[in-house]
Amino acid sequence: MKLRLLFLFSILIFSSCAVTSRIEDDQVSLNYLDEFVIDENLEFEDTKIGGLSGIDYANGKFYLISDQASNPRIYQADINIADSRIENIEITDLIKIRRPEEYSKVVLDLEGLRYDPRNNGFLIVSEGLISDGRDPGIYETNAQGEILRSYSIPEHFQSNNGQKPRNNGVFEGITKSVDGSGVWVATELPLEKDSSKPKIFPTRSHSRITKFNTETGNPVSQFVYPLEGIAKLPINYFALNGITEILEYAEDRFLVMERSYSAGYGSHGNTVKIFDVDASKATNTLNENSLRKAKYQTAKKKLIFNFKSVDDQLTDGIVDNIEGMCFGPELENGNRSLILVADNNFNSFVRQLNQFILMEINISE
């Protein structure tokens, strides 16, 4: 009887966290190329380089956002790529986020950015501080980092709503829409009354990805994304899995990055995966205040890269807390590059890295 129970428990652990529709085609493939690590003690203009939670590339420059809420900021950087390798990374400028009086009380826990060519500025997303009643936000800035306006946030994401967004689990990923009309923003974790957080055993854990019109700042559509389960059985109590970044590469087709973390493994607690996602037939859930009793079709997904496959090529075998992802310059073979960056949490828990990853992305027609 004990052996039978152990067998059943093993099935629970290793089975998928939810029944998920799978993409059948192979439209996208990713290849790992190189890694580059910035010294954890590097400083630039009296700020410590760390907490790098988002990255974007425009006009030959890279932009990195730091999630230090006490000093929200964006770094401009040169990332020199040659022969499919990162030769050097140099921080060249600092843009501090400046808040007019009307935004003086918002919490800027910044988790993602995209360059905005309309004013040479940025679109930035913040998780806010739900536990203190501070809403998440989407903000436009100018080139100097001054906030110009905020977007209208659906009620189910607001801290005082009965839906109860999870603290440190709201807006995390952002991507421009390929049709040029807006941006998509992803929540890291499900809302409390939508579904449970991912666990080591199968759960229904659904996050929302919402499109906002960049002219009006209003939400226009939304789809549901099914999260994977926790990748490793935690040795200590804490474990999580959620969306850390998204990129739309064709209409209703996305790269979605999930990061799972399990405590007790030191610097090796992270598992990072990238999925190809098709949302073309997903239900628009924008007007659904709660998903728990709603009927809807989730997006389809397919695993296309697991960083576990290349951990022997990374510094000390560490796949770190990768949170940022962007399309980079064209490689010598004509394919596009993909650049990823890890948030080292300013090394506040265990040894972590300011880790940059260079990949090659091949998109078939």
Side-chain angles (χ1 to χ4, degrees), residues 43-317:
E43 294 190 359
F44 184 83
E45 295 187 7
D46 297 322
T47 65
K48 191 171 184 178
I49 306 298
L52 303 178
S53 296
I55 185 171
D56 203 16
Y57 174 74
N59 303 321
K61 296 289 184 181
F62 285 88
Y63 299 95
L64 305 159
I65 200 159
S66 176
D67 66 359
Q68 189 175 33
S70 61
N71 186 14
R73 57 194 183 274
I74 297 169
Y75 294 103
Q76 181 177 291
D78 290 330
I79 301 180
N80 300 319
I81 300 170
D83 298 324
S84 299
R85 295 182 60 83
I86 300 176
E87 292 191 331
N88 186 47
I89 297 178
E90 180 184 4
I91 306 298
T92 59
D93 198 9
L94 172 66
I95 303 169
K96 293 188 176 183
I97 304 301
R98 296 176 170 83
R99 293 184 271 197
E101 179 62 29
E102 62 186 296
Y103 301 111
S104 61
K105 294 183 179 180
V106 302
V107 173
L108 294 179
D109 181 1
L110 302 178
E111 298 293 342
L113 86 163
R114 296 298 169 200
Y115 175 79
D116 187 354
R118 295 173 302 166
N119 52 30
N120 198 31
F122 304 93
L123 292 165
I124 57 178
V125 294
S126 169
E127 288 193 308
L129 187 60
I130 300 299
S131 61
D132 192 40
R134 312 288 188 93
D135 289 340
I138 305 168
Y139 305 96
E140 286 184 9
T141 81
N142 59 21
Q144 292 73 41
E146 182 180 8
I147 294 177
L148 303 176
R149 67 165 176 160
S150 60
Y151 282 17
S152 298
I153 305 302
E155 287 187 5
H156 45 253
F157 295 138
Q158 296 174 15
S159 59
N160 61 356
N161 188 268
Q163 260 302 80
K164 296 185 178 180
R166 286 183 162 93
N167 190 61
N168 202 33
V170 200
F171 295 160
E172 184 79 20
I174 180 173
T175 182
K176 294 177 183 177
S177 64
V178 295
D179 64 10
S181 69
V183 292
W184 294 91
V185 174
T187 58
E188 181 178 2
L189 298 173
L191 303 176
E192 284 191 18
K193 291 191 177 180
D194 275 350
S195 55
S196 64
K197 293 188 295 184
K199 297 179 175 61
I200 197 71
F201 53 84
T203 57
R204 174 184 171 276
S205 301
H206 290 173
S207 288
R208 303 193 193 213
I209 299 179
T210 309
K211 186 178 183 180
F212 293 82
N213 182 287
T214 47
E215 292 300 320
T216 66
N218 295 325
V220 292
S221 64
Q222 183 185 88
F223 67 89
V224 172
Y225 175 85
L227 290 163
E228 300 292 290
I230 302 299
K232 299 177 182 178
L233 184 67
I235 297 173
N236 295 332
Y237 176 73
F238 181 74
L240 59 79
N241 180 61
I243 297 173
T244 59
E245 190 59 283
I246 57 175
L247 281 176
E248 188 178 28
Y249 66 85
E251 187 172 0
D252 294 322
R253 294 294 292 260
F254 299 81
L255 299 180
V256 175
M257 185 160 61
E258 294 186 37
R259 182 273 331 278
S260 175
Y261 175 78
S262 297
Y265 294 88
S267 298
H268 299 271
N270 292 298
T271 300
V272 179
K273 301 175 182 179
I274 299 177
F275 295 85
D276 182 17
V277 174
D278 182 353
S280 61
K281 297 181 180 179
T283 306
N284 182 359
T285 56
L286 183 61
N287 294 323
E288 295 286 353
N289 191 51
S290 173
L291 300 180
R292 197 166 293 276
K293 295 182 179 180
K295 294 182 179 180
Y296 56 90
Q297 174 65 51
T298 67
K300 296 181 179 181
K301 62 188 289 192
K302 180 179 182 179
L303 177 65
I304 56 174
F305 199 87
N306 186 339
F307 279 89
K308 184 179 179 180
S309 66
V310 297
D311 59 8
D312 61 341
Q313 302 178 58
L314 303 175
T315 299
D316 296 335

